[in-house]
Amino acid sequence: MSALELEDVNAYYGNSHILYDLDLHVDQNEVVALLGRNGAGKTTTLRSITGTIPRREGRIDFRDESIVDDSVDAISNKGIKLVPEERRIFPTLTVQENLMLSRDSCKGESRPIEEMYDIFPILDDLRGNNGQNLSGGEQQMLSVARALVQSPDLLLLDEPTEGLAPVIVEDLEEILKDIVSEDVTVLITEQNVEFALELSERAYIIESGENAWDGTIEELRDREDLLEKYLSVGVEE
Amino acid sequence: MVNAGIVLDQILTGLSIGSWLFLVSIGLSLVFGVLGVLNFAHGVLFAMGAYVTVSAVSSSIGNFWIGVVAAGVVVGVLGIIIEMGFIRRLYGRAEEELEQLLLTFAFVLILEDGIRMVFGSGTRQIDPPSAFGFDIVVAGYSMSSYRVFVILVSFAVMGGILLTLKTTNFGRLVRATSSDRDMASLLGVNVPRLYTMVFFIGAALAGIGGAFAAPLQSVTPALGETVIIEAFIIVVIGGLGSFVGTFFGAYLVGIMIAVGSIFAAGAGQLFPFIALILVLLLKPEGLTGGANT
């Protein structure tokens, strides 16, 4: 069953046309990577799904219902939760308050906050610390926890490893592997291609706001030409 | 040489002025902190609160406390109409701030003339409720019990606001939305509805402030004009959007007005402006350093 379906999606910032007739689908419980160079339109694709873009056109369905005309909060309340690229932790709220706000703002089912501290032990010792006093890695963990506490039906991860130290990336990868092994549907964008390939089952490559390729991760690993052409990387076996 | 006794006496007067200046400024600070709207009409909403109370006291109702509640409700509902009907249309526009200022200034003119049409241009005065017919005397200094009561009300309002911000989900929403409204939407918060609620509370606080201030001064249609200037000075001195800063700013300005008047006629009005200029030059983020404190 298709959880998310995008067909002929066009998106704009003012007069700039960013996405051109983009197609994409994510099945229930599937983990899909959205790859492409910086500026290819990955974040804009996520913004089109969450509704945080001034103008979007085309078909965007979530569980066979159109969400293209819905407001940002209405889309969120249908179960689509974003972990944004900039993390966007509320700076003057503590770790605990960030999680409480998320839990209490959620119209649907939510998960106990204590579960989040089990998943992210690093946050447990930081409960009373303000968001603005956390390191980048801690903020990223909190950003993921803040989305998870709302028990997402579709989790959108926008560049989760960006700007993080390699050791933190390893921790995050372990945690996300556990999360995606549960019944959760994920669409992830990443510059760190190896990280995305480790987590995902299928991938889309976009270039200049258009579909360039899509297929399984196994197929992609065999296509070094694609990885070099669109992502400028070589992938280790 | 200025007599220390006179200075202390004026400081007490300053505390009384500061208490109702706080009740005006806190709503302005709240609305700015969360919505980012500098509501120029906040002063006239304060004046309307005073007029609603004057009407309640001098009509057949004849009860000050009903006047206070009515002032909060009437002015709060007016706030909802202003926010939902007008200000909401300006969010996110390129010239948002300028347009908000012009729009709310239009409401100053409309509402002030509205007051003149209904109540006339003359001065109205009411006495404090009869329960406060005595003075409180400590070590030879006396203050009317009503003034002491309004000071206590200002402390209670400040305490209530801090408690709400720290312990309730609404408080967390206010703090979160004032730093990142889009992220709040992404978590499922209906931000437009929250904005309307905050504007209602801000306007209701202006109305209640006007109600409590009504027995302390002459009520005229232009009351809001003086008050809004002082309220702007207070929120800038305290730090835009900072509630604790607004509290200290209000008392500081109240004391400056009262103590300044010892030195020369009009000096009391001048001191807050000098303080404003100094703060803008030396510490533009305000004495407490900005929003959410």
Side-chain angles (χ1 to χ4, degrees):
Chain A
M1 179 189 153
S2 183
L4 179 75
E5 183 99 43
L6 274 69
E7 193 181 280
D8 292 335
V9 170
N10 288 272
Y12 310 79
Y13 287 110
N15 292 326
S16 314
H17 192 163
I18 310 289
L19 297 184
Y20 295 86
D21 298 328
L22 196 81
D23 295 334
L24 183 153
H25 80 271
V26 183
D27 286 337
Q28 192 71 36
N29 294 341
E30 195 182 23
V31 181
V32 173
L34 182 59
L35 306 172
R37 284 205 187 86
N38 233 342
K42 303 188 296 292
T43 295
T44 305
T45 305
L46 297 191
R47 287 195 179 147
S48 301
I49 298 166
T50 56
T52 44
I53 186 162
R55 189 172 149 216
R56 60 198 163 133
E57 290 162 358
R59 190 164 74 84
I60 306 177
D61 288 358
F62 180 61
R63 295 182 160 174
D64 300 325
E65 252 183 69
S66 173
I67 55 167
V68 79
D69 295 321
D70 287 353
S71 64
V72 177
D73 56 305
I75 291 171
S76 171
N77 283 316
K78 284 185 173 161
I80 301 179
K81 307 296 177 182
L82 172 73
V83 177
E85 188 179 2
E86 316 86 344
R87 290 151 204 155
R88 296 171 73 167
I89 295 306
F90 297 116
T92 59
L93 269 62
T94 64
V95 168
Q96 175 78 3
E97 287 176 330
N98 266 281
L99 294 173
M100 284 164 85
L101 177 89
S102 179
R103 177 196 65 194
D104 297 340
S105 302
C106 178
K107 294 262 183 344
E109 204 184 319
S110 62
R111 292 171 66 171
I113 288 174
E114 290 306 314
E115 270 183 29
M116 297 304 122
Y117 293 128
D118 293 339
I119 300 172
F120 301 95
I122 193 174
L123 296 177
D124 201 356
D125 299 330
L126 302 168
R127 287 175 192 235
N129 288 33
N130 274 1
Q132 62 200 0
N133 299 330
L134 304 181
S135 70
E138 290 158 357
Q139 286 193 350
Q140 188 61 61
M141 304 276 180
L142 180 55
S143 190
V144 177
R146 188 175 60 180
L148 280 186
V149 90
Q150 296 199 331
S151 192
D153 296 315
L154 170 63
L155 184 62
L156 306 174
L157 295 167
D158 196 0
E159 307 276 358
T161 69
E162 200 190 17
L164 300 183
V167 56
I168 308 283
V169 172
E170 277 174 34
D171 283 354
L172 191 64
E173 186 173 331
E174 289 310 310
I175 291 168
L176 288 178
K177 270 183 181 165
D178 284 345
I179 292 168
V180 301
S181 68
E182 296 171 28
D183 291 344
V184 60
T185 311
V186 180
L187 179 60
I188 177 171
T189 77
E190 256 305 340
Q191 291 281 328
N192 182 342
V193 173
E194 187 51 40
F195 183 91
L197 298 191
E198 277 295 314
L199 287 173
S200 315
E201 299 151 47
R202 232 159 30 84
Y204 285 83
I205 298 177
I206 58 173
E207 170 83 356
S208 306
E210 290 182 84
N211 287 87
W213 182 89
D214 67 88
T216 66
I217 297 300
E218 290 74 38
E219 287 167 353
L220 185 56
R221 281 188 187 278
D222 291 337
R223 294 287 304 271
E224 281 189 28
D225 58 318
L226 287 174
L227 293 165
E228 254 173 60
K229 182 174 176 198
Y230 294 113
L231 309 167
S232 322
V233 285
V235 171
E236 303 157 25
E237 286 300 318
Chain B
M1 185 67 196
V2 178
N3 183 318
I6 296 175
V7 174
L8 202 61
D9 216 35
Q10 286 305 102
I11 288 176
L12 290 177
T13 309
L15 291 177
S16 170
I17 298 173
S19 65
W20 64 261
L21 282 179
F22 167 73
L23 293 176
V24 196
S25 315
I26 190 66
L28 188 73
S29 184
L30 178 71
V31 167
F32 179 79
V34 180
L35 281 68
V37 173
L38 265 180
N39 179 16
F40 215 75
H42 198 76
V44 76
L45 295 178
F46 170 85
M48 290 191 76
Y51 271 99
V52 169
T53 311
V54 169
S55 312
V57 171
S58 47
S59 70
S60 57
I61 301 168
N63 187 306
F64 176 78
W65 303 107
I66 292 177
V68 173
V69 174
V73 173
V74 169
V75 178
V77 169
L78 184 64
I80 291 181
I81 295 169
I82 293 175
E83 199 276 336
M84 286 182 76
F86 302 89
I87 295 177
R88 181 176 284 191
R89 294 164 199 270
L90 306 183
Y91 296 138
R93 287 212 196 170
E95 300 281 337
E96 185 180 13
E97 278 134 20
L98 178 66
E99 290 179 3
Q100 283 166 354
L101 212 60
L102 289 172
L103 175 70
T104 55
F105 185 64
F107 275 105
V108 174
L109 302 175
I110 293 166
L111 294 175
E112 202 176 299
D113 274 346
I115 290 174
R116 282 202 178 87
M117 281 168 66
V118 176
F119 297 98
S121 299
T123 302
R124 308 282 286 263
Q125 247 161 346
I126 54 169
D127 291 325
S130 52
F132 295 104
F134 62 98
D135 285 351
I136 292 173
V137 184
V138 177
Y141 294 96
S142 80
M143 191 188 248
S144 92
S145 56
Y146 182 71
R147 286 180 184 273
V148 174
F149 168 73
V150 177
I151 291 173
L152 293 178
V153 168
S154 81
F155 277 81
V157 168
M158 186 69 232
I161 286 175
L162 289 181
L163 204 66
T164 305
L165 285 175
K166 199 67 198 162
T167 61
T168 68
N169 192 50
F170 178 74
R172 286 189 285 274
L173 276 176
V174 164
R175 286 154 61 209
T177 315
S178 58
S179 58
D180 192 342
R181 64 174 102 165
D182 293 339
M183 191 62 227
S185 300
L186 282 164
L187 291 175
V189 176
N190 185 337
V191 173
R193 199 169 62 195
L194 180 77
Y195 277 13
T196 304
M197 202 186 292
V198 168
F199 205 91
F200 166 79
I201 294 171
L205 281 169
I208 291 169
F212 282 123
L216 296 173
Q217 56 176 11
S218 320
V219 178
T220 67
L223 175 62
E225 288 174 23
T226 339
V227 160
I228 191 68
I229 301 293
E230 278 158 2
F232 271 139
I233 293 176
I234 287 164
V235 296
V236 172
I237 287 179
L240 281 169
S242 160
F243 306 120
V244 175
T246 301
F247 184 76
F248 288 113
Y251 277 97
L252 197 65
V253 167
I255 290 170
M256 279 191 280
I257 290 172
V259 173
S261 67
I262 302 172
F263 298 100
Q269 304 306 318
L270 185 66
F271 277 19
F273 284 99
I274 294 172
L276 173 72
I277 291 168
L278 288 177
V279 166
L280 286 176
L281 285 176
L282 303 175
K283 206 166 184 308
E285 72 278 17
L287 296 179
T288 55
N292 264 311
T293 47

